[in-house]
Amino acid sequence: MNFTPDIRLFTCHYASQQSCAEGGTVLRGLNFPANITLTRLVCTGRLEETDLLKAFEDGADGVYVVGCPTDSCHNVKGSQRAAKRVASVQKALAELDVEPERLRMYHLERGLHPEFIAAGEEMDALIRRLGPSPFCRKAA
Amino acid sequence: MIVAERKPLAEILKMVQGCKRILVLACKGCVTVCSAGGEREAEILASLVRLGLQKEGTNAEVNTASLVRQCDKEYIDSLDQYKGQYDAILSTACGVGVNFIANLRPTEHVYPALNTTFFGGSAEQGIWKEMCAGCGHCVLHFTGGLCPVARCAKSLMNGPCGGSVNGRCEINAETDCVWQMIYDRMGRLERQQELTASAPIRDWSTAGHGGPRKRVREDLTV
């Protein structure tokens, strides 16, 4: 099946600081998947569960969050709060009989580094394997 | 406060099956404080209901609104502004709120999004514990302020049962034996001697065993 997933990435200012340099051209040059839409937040602790759910409502096939390492978040507990909210939405997805792994949390060091690219490639591969979002069925 | 938690989504989706216009109605009272049914939780639920229905291949308009409280007539009356706009109200209030809407809006469909669980307080962030059973006959002045009706699994009135081990309850080892707590606290308050008096047999009619309860304050009625 020819399927290019729509993947939304929410990442904090710090984890994505260098990644977004020069309008993201550096990122693309490193083969960061083009089907990932990146939204920067001041802190992933600012992320609400509704933001994650809205991404799915808007047609995302997969969503992931990149925040600071849990023990070195710039805002102390921001990325821990984000991880809790991701876990809560994963639980709700499971209740709806949808693969919880369509939503993931990553804790990465700040700056542009191979792990940031690898997380994107991992999500891309995962969502391609899972297929299109089950929320995108055409309504009767 | 009244503590509640969201029902399983499958149960909620079954309630609103076939509804094309749904109003998820938050309450700014207790359920906001216990993070079960305030505006934030109503927004989350509305999104989940939309997604759940989308997954089943159906669509519905799911919006949110909130009332200061759902347990007072004047606030329920403000639902007039939505008259005819929704097939169902999905209330994120406690059971009291759902009952109030059902009583006051005889022709409207109202469904509970929450399971109302207990009267309690926030022991720490994200954790609530039952502290009161609303039994209608408070004995806290005899027990150092700790309630044996709500916090003893057997609601014993004259000390712990034989299952109290190392200060823990035999029903759930994670639960402190409230009678051990009462004994220790009364000791610290130098009131342990008071515990030698036998509590009389209780009249449980005040606890709802005599049917639904009602309180009238003549000085407030007009």
PDB file of all heavy atoms in Angstrom, chain B residues 92-117:
ATOM      1  N   THR B  92     -20.618  16.038  32.854  1.00  0.00           N
ATOM      2  CA  THR B  92     -19.417  15.609  33.573  1.00  0.00           C
ATOM      3  C   THR B  92     -19.491  16.043  35.036  1.00  0.00           C
ATOM      4  O   THR B  92     -18.471  16.180  35.705  1.00  0.00           O
ATOM      5  CB  THR B  92     -18.126  16.158  32.926  1.00  0.00           C
ATOM      6  OG1 THR B  92     -18.133  17.577  33.020  1.00  0.00           O
ATOM      7  CG2 THR B  92     -17.997  15.739  31.477  1.00  0.00           C
ATOM      8  N   ALA B  93     -20.718  16.269  35.505  1.00  0.00           N
ATOM      9  CA  ALA B  93     -20.900  16.566  36.931  1.00  0.00           C
ATOM     10  C   ALA B  93     -20.995  15.248  37.696  1.00  0.00           C
ATOM     11  O   ALA B  93     -20.978  14.167  37.112  1.00  0.00           O
ATOM     12  CB  ALA B  93     -22.167  17.377  37.138  1.00  0.00           C
ATOM     13  N   CYS B  94     -21.118  15.374  38.988  1.00  0.00           N
ATOM     14  CA  CYS B  94     -21.381  14.179  39.796  1.00  0.00           C
ATOM     15  C   CYS B  94     -22.824  13.734  39.560  1.00  0.00           C
ATOM     16  O   CYS B  94     -23.570  14.376  38.823  1.00  0.00           O
ATOM     17  CB  CYS B  94     -21.150  14.491  41.275  1.00  0.00           C
ATOM     18  SG  CYS B  94     -22.387  15.627  41.939  1.00  0.00           S
ATOM     19  N   GLY B  95     -23.219  12.672  40.205  1.00  0.00           N
ATOM     20  CA  GLY B  95     -24.582  12.163  40.036  1.00  0.00           C
ATOM     21  C   GLY B  95     -25.641  13.165  40.446  1.00  0.00           C
ATOM     22  O   GLY B  95     -26.765  13.140  39.918  1.00  0.00           O
ATOM     23  N   VAL B  96     -25.291  14.058  41.350  1.00  0.00           N
ATOM     24  CA  VAL B  96     -26.260  15.077  41.770  1.00  0.00           C
ATOM     25  C   VAL B  96     -26.617  15.959  40.584  1.00  0.00           C
ATOM     26  O   VAL B  96     -27.798  16.241  40.324  1.00  0.00           O
ATOM     27  CB  VAL B  96     -25.681  15.940  42.918  1.00  0.00           C
ATOM     28  CG1 VAL B  96     -26.683  17.015  43.323  1.00  0.00           C
ATOM     29  CG2 VAL B  96     -25.312  15.080  44.115  1.00  0.00           C
ATOM     30  N   GLY B  97     -25.608  16.371  39.848  1.00  0.00           N
ATOM     31  CA  GLY B  97     -25.845  17.236  38.693  1.00  0.00           C
ATOM     32  C   GLY B  97     -26.730  16.567  37.656  1.00  0.00           C
ATOM     33  O   GLY B  97     -27.654  17.186  37.116  1.00  0.00           O
ATOM     34  N   VAL B  98     -26.454  15.311  37.382  1.00  0.00           N
ATOM     35  CA  VAL B  98     -27.253  14.587  36.383  1.00  0.00           C
ATOM     36  C   VAL B  98     -28.706  14.503  36.853  1.00  0.00           C
ATOM     37  O   VAL B  98     -29.649  14.727  36.084  1.00  0.00           O
ATOM     38  CB  VAL B  98     -26.668  13.171  36.138  1.00  0.00           C
ATOM     39  CG1 VAL B  98     -27.517  12.406  35.128  1.00  0.00           C
ATOM     40  CG2 VAL B  98     -25.227  13.268  35.659  1.00  0.00           C
ATOM     41  N   ASN B  99     -28.895  14.202  38.139  1.00  0.00           N
ATOM     42  CA  ASN B  99     -30.252  14.147  38.700  1.00  0.00           C
ATOM     43  C   ASN B  99     -30.962  15.492  38.594  1.00  0.00           C
ATOM     44  O   ASN B  99     -32.154  15.550  38.284  1.00  0.00           O
ATOM     45  CB  ASN B  99     -30.195  13.725  40.169  1.00  0.00           C
ATOM     46  CG  ASN B  99     -30.240  12.227  40.340  1.00  0.00           C
ATOM     47  OD1 ASN B  99     -31.311  11.655  40.489  1.00  0.00           O
ATOM     48  ND2 ASN B  99     -29.097  11.581  40.286  1.00  0.00           N
ATOM     49  N   PHE B 100     -30.227  16.577  38.864  1.00  0.00           N
ATOM     50  CA  PHE B 100     -30.831  17.904  38.795  1.00  0.00           C
ATOM     51  C   PHE B 100     -31.312  18.211  37.385  1.00  0.00           C
ATOM     52  O   PHE B 100     -32.399  18.723  37.193  1.00  0.00           O
ATOM     53  CB  PHE B 100     -29.834  18.970  39.272  1.00  0.00           C
ATOM     54  CG  PHE B 100     -30.161  19.490  40.639  1.00  0.00           C
ATOM     55  CD1 PHE B 100     -29.989  18.692  41.753  1.00  0.00           C
ATOM     56  CD2 PHE B 100     -30.684  20.762  40.812  1.00  0.00           C
ATOM     57  CE1 PHE B 100     -30.310  19.151  43.017  1.00  0.00           C
ATOM     58  CE2 PHE B 100     -31.014  21.242  42.063  1.00  0.00           C
ATOM     59  CZ  PHE B 100     -30.828  20.437  43.176  1.00  0.00           C
ATOM     60  N   ILE B 101     -30.483  17.886  36.407  1.00  0.00           N
ATOM     61  CA  ILE B 101     -30.880  18.149  35.018  1.00  0.00           C
ATOM     62  C   ILE B 101     -32.091  17.292  34.654  1.00  0.00           C
ATOM     63  O   ILE B 101     -33.053  17.765  34.055  1.00  0.00           O
ATOM     64  CB  ILE B 101     -29.698  17.884  34.055  1.00  0.00           C
ATOM     65  CG1 ILE B 101     -28.579  18.886  34.336  1.00  0.00           C
ATOM     66  CG2 ILE B 101     -30.147  17.982  32.602  1.00  0.00           C
ATOM     67  CD1 ILE B 101     -27.276  18.594  33.611  1.00  0.00           C
ATOM     68  N   ALA B 102     -32.039  16.019  35.068  1.00  0.00           N
ATOM     69  CA  ALA B 102     -33.159  15.119  34.756  1.00  0.00           C
ATOM     70  C   ALA B 102     -34.453  15.616  35.396  1.00  0.00           C
ATOM     71  O   ALA B 102     -35.528  15.555  34.790  1.00  0.00           O
ATOM     72  CB  ALA B 102     -32.837  13.705  35.239  1.00  0.00           C
ATOM     73  N   ASN B 103     -34.356  16.138  36.623  1.00  0.00           N
ATOM     74  CA  ASN B 103     -35.540  16.646  37.310  1.00  0.00           C
ATOM     75  C   ASN B 103     -36.097  17.898  36.649  1.00  0.00           C
ATOM     76  O   ASN B 103     -37.310  18.050  36.510  1.00  0.00           O
ATOM     77  CB  ASN B 103     -35.192  17.015  38.763  1.00  0.00           C
ATOM     78  CG  ASN B 103     -35.337  15.835  39.708  1.00  0.00           C
ATOM     79  OD1 ASN B 103     -35.898  14.803  39.351  1.00  0.00           O
ATOM     80  ND2 ASN B 103     -34.816  15.984  40.900  1.00  0.00           N
ATOM     81  N   LEU B 104     -35.177  18.779  36.252  1.00  0.00           N
ATOM     82  CA  LEU B 104     -35.602  20.108  35.805  1.00  0.00           C
ATOM     83  C   LEU B 104     -35.811  20.218  34.297  1.00  0.00           C
ATOM     84  O   LEU B 104     -36.373  21.188  33.818  1.00  0.00           O
ATOM     85  CB  LEU B 104     -34.581  21.154  36.259  1.00  0.00           C
ATOM     86  CG  LEU B 104     -34.484  21.320  37.788  1.00  0.00           C
ATOM     87  CD1 LEU B 104     -33.257  22.138  38.173  1.00  0.00           C
ATOM     88  CD2 LEU B 104     -35.745  21.971  38.333  1.00  0.00           C
ATOM     89  N   ARG B 105     -35.310  19.218  33.545  1.00  0.00           N
ATOM     90  CA  ARG B 105     -35.471  19.264  32.084  1.00  0.00           C
ATOM     91  C   ARG B 105     -36.162  17.974  31.666  1.00  0.00           C
ATOM     92  O   ARG B 105     -35.533  17.051  31.114  1.00  0.00           O
ATOM     93  CB  ARG B 105     -34.113  19.376  31.370  1.00  0.00           C
ATOM     94  CG  ARG B 105     -33.099  20.309  31.997  1.00  0.00           C
ATOM     95  CD  ARG B 105     -33.418  21.747  31.849  1.00  0.00           C
ATOM     96  NE  ARG B 105     -33.401  22.242  30.497  1.00  0.00           N
ATOM     97  CZ  ARG B 105     -33.497  23.549  30.207  1.00  0.00           C
ATOM     98  NH1 ARG B 105     -33.597  24.438  31.178  1.00  0.00           N
ATOM     99  NH2 ARG B 105     -33.510  23.951  28.964  1.00  0.00           N
ATOM    100  N   PRO B 106     -37.459  17.888  31.914  1.00  0.00           N
ATOM    101  CA  PRO B 106     -38.176  16.603  31.767  1.00  0.00           C
ATOM    102  C   PRO B 106     -38.140  15.987  30.381  1.00  0.00           C
ATOM    103  O   PRO B 106     -38.300  14.771  30.253  1.00  0.00           O
ATOM    104  CB  PRO B 106     -39.615  16.946  32.187  1.00  0.00           C
ATOM    105  CG  PRO B 106     -39.667  18.394  32.407  1.00  0.00           C
ATOM    106  CD  PRO B 106     -38.303  18.971  32.386  1.00  0.00           C
ATOM    107  N   THR B 107     -37.922  16.782  29.356  1.00  0.00           N
ATOM    108  CA  THR B 107     -37.972  16.203  27.999  1.00  0.00           C
ATOM    109  C   THR B 107     -36.588  16.080  27.367  1.00  0.00           C
ATOM    110  O   THR B 107     -36.461  15.745  26.195  1.00  0.00           O
ATOM    111  CB  THR B 107     -38.863  17.058  27.074  1.00  0.00           C
ATOM    112  OG1 THR B 107     -38.308  18.378  27.006  1.00  0.00           O
ATOM    113  CG2 THR B 107     -40.289  17.128  27.591  1.00  0.00           C
ATOM    114  N   GLU B 108     -35.554  16.365  28.134  1.00  0.00           N
ATOM    115  CA  GLU B 108     -34.210  16.315  27.552  1.00  0.00           C
ATOM    116  C   GLU B 108     -33.446  15.077  28.010  1.00  0.00           C
ATOM    117  O   GLU B 108     -33.598  14.632  29.143  1.00  0.00           O
ATOM    118  CB  GLU B 108     -33.427  17.592  27.923  1.00  0.00           C
ATOM    119  CG  GLU B 108     -33.999  18.825  27.231  1.00  0.00           C
ATOM    120  CD  GLU B 108     -33.352  20.118  27.666  1.00  0.00           C
ATOM    121  OE1 GLU B 108     -32.177  20.085  28.044  1.00  0.00           O
ATOM    122  OE2 GLU B 108     -34.049  21.151  27.625  1.00  0.00           O
ATOM    123  N   HIS B 109     -32.627  14.558  27.120  1.00  0.00           N
ATOM    124  CA  HIS B 109     -31.819  13.383  27.446  1.00  0.00           C
ATOM    125  C   HIS B 109     -30.530  13.824  28.136  1.00  0.00           C
ATOM    126  O   HIS B 109     -29.809  14.663  27.613  1.00  0.00           O
ATOM    127  CB  HIS B 109     -31.449  12.612  26.173  1.00  0.00           C
ATOM    128  CG  HIS B 109     -32.652  12.054  25.463  1.00  0.00           C
ATOM    129  ND1 HIS B 109     -33.226  10.860  25.819  1.00  0.00           N
ATOM    130  CD2 HIS B 109     -33.396  12.549  24.445  1.00  0.00           C
ATOM    131  CE1 HIS B 109     -34.272  10.624  25.033  1.00  0.00           C
ATOM    132  NE2 HIS B 109     -34.397  11.643  24.195  1.00  0.00           N
ATOM    133  N   VAL B 110     -30.273  13.276  29.292  1.00  0.00           N
ATOM    134  CA  VAL B 110     -29.022  13.588  29.990  1.00  0.00           C
ATOM    135  C   VAL B 110     -28.360  12.279  30.402  1.00  0.00           C
ATOM    136  O   VAL B 110     -29.022  11.347  30.859  1.00  0.00           O
ATOM    137  CB  VAL B 110     -29.267  14.508  31.212  1.00  0.00           C
ATOM    138  CG1 VAL B 110     -30.230  13.905  32.219  1.00  0.00           C
ATOM    139  CG2 VAL B 110     -27.942  14.872  31.896  1.00  0.00           C
ATOM    140  N   TYR B 111     -27.051  12.221  30.177  1.00  0.00           N
ATOM    141  CA  TYR B 111     -26.304  10.993  30.482  1.00  0.00           C
ATOM    142  C   TYR B 111     -25.104  11.317  31.373  1.00  0.00           C
ATOM    143  O   TYR B 111     -24.505  12.388  31.259  1.00  0.00           O
ATOM    144  CB  TYR B 111     -25.806  10.342  29.188  1.00  0.00           C
ATOM    145  CG  TYR B 111     -26.920   9.950  28.255  1.00  0.00           C
ATOM    146  CD1 TYR B 111     -27.138  10.661  27.077  1.00  0.00           C
ATOM    147  CD2 TYR B 111     -27.774   8.888  28.556  1.00  0.00           C
ATOM    148  CE1 TYR B 111     -28.176  10.311  26.214  1.00  0.00           C
ATOM    149  CE2 TYR B 111     -28.810   8.533  27.697  1.00  0.00           C
ATOM    150  CZ  TYR B 111     -29.004   9.247  26.532  1.00  0.00           C
ATOM    151  OH  TYR B 111     -30.027   8.911  25.693  1.00  0.00           O
ATOM    152  N   PRO B 112     -24.736  10.373  32.258  1.00  0.00           N
ATOM    153  CA  PRO B 112     -23.586  10.619  33.137  1.00  0.00           C
ATOM    154  C   PRO B 112     -22.275  10.195  32.481  1.00  0.00           C
ATOM    155  O   PRO B 112     -22.127   9.057  32.050  1.00  0.00           O
ATOM    156  CB  PRO B 112     -23.884   9.713  34.338  1.00  0.00           C
ATOM    157  CG  PRO B 112     -24.622   8.551  33.739  1.00  0.00           C
ATOM    158  CD  PRO B 112     -25.392   9.085  32.548  1.00  0.00           C
ATOM    159  N   ALA B 113     -21.324  11.119  32.446  1.00  0.00           N
ATOM    160  CA  ALA B 113     -19.998  10.772  31.906  1.00  0.00           C
ATOM    161  C   ALA B 113     -19.078  10.262  33.009  1.00  0.00           C
ATOM    162  O   ALA B 113     -18.018   9.727  32.723  1.00  0.00           O
ATOM    163  CB  ALA B 113     -19.381  11.994  31.238  1.00  0.00           C
ATOM    164  N   LEU B 114     -19.508  10.457  34.264  1.00  0.00           N
ATOM    165  CA  LEU B 114     -18.635  10.087  35.378  1.00  0.00           C
ATOM    166  C   LEU B 114     -19.281   9.026  36.259  1.00  0.00           C
ATOM    167  O   LEU B 114     -20.503   8.901  36.304  1.00  0.00           O
ATOM    168  CB  LEU B 114     -18.352  11.309  36.258  1.00  0.00           C
ATOM    169  CG  LEU B 114     -17.766  12.573  35.617  1.00  0.00           C
ATOM    170  CD1 LEU B 114     -17.467  13.606  36.700  1.00  0.00           C
ATOM    171  CD2 LEU B 114     -16.513  12.276  34.811  1.00  0.00           C
ATOM    172  N   ASN B 115     -18.438   8.314  36.955  1.00  0.00           N
ATOM    173  CA  ASN B 115     -18.890   7.523  38.102  1.00  0.00           C
ATOM    174  C   ASN B 115     -18.569   8.340  39.343  1.00  0.00           C
ATOM    175  O   ASN B 115     -17.414   8.723  39.557  1.00  0.00           O
ATOM    176  CB  ASN B 115     -18.157   6.182  38.166  1.00  0.00           C
ATOM    177  CG  ASN B 115     -18.650   5.214  37.104  1.00  0.00           C
ATOM    178  OD1 ASN B 115     -19.843   5.188  36.787  1.00  0.00           O
ATOM    179  ND2 ASN B 115     -17.750   4.434  36.538  1.00  0.00           N
ATOM    180  N   THR B 116     -19.591   8.649  40.122  1.00  0.00           N
ATOM    181  CA  THR B 116     -19.388   9.413  41.351  1.00  0.00           C
ATOM    182  C   THR B 116     -18.937   8.428  42.423  1.00  0.00           C
ATOM    183  O   THR B 116     -19.591   7.410  42.639  1.00  0.00           O
ATOM    184  CB  THR B 116     -20.690  10.107  41.768  1.00  0.00           C
ATOM    185  OG1 THR B 116     -21.137  10.901  40.669  1.00  0.00           O
ATOM    186  CG2 THR B 116     -20.485  11.000  42.978  1.00  0.00           C
ATOM    187  N   THR B 117     -17.825   8.730  43.064  1.00  0.00           N
ATOM    188  CA  THR B 117     -17.226   7.696  43.900  1.00  0.00           C
ATOM    189  C   THR B 117     -17.350   7.934  45.412  1.00  0.00           C
ATOM    190  O   THR B 117     -17.857   7.082  46.124  1.00  0.00           O
ATOM    191  CB  THR B 117     -15.756   7.461  43.505  1.00  0.00           C
ATOM    192  OG1 THR B 117     -15.106   8.724  43.384  1.00  0.00           O
ATOM    193  CG2 THR B 117     -15.651   6.745  42.178  1.00  0.00           C
TER     194      THR B 117
END
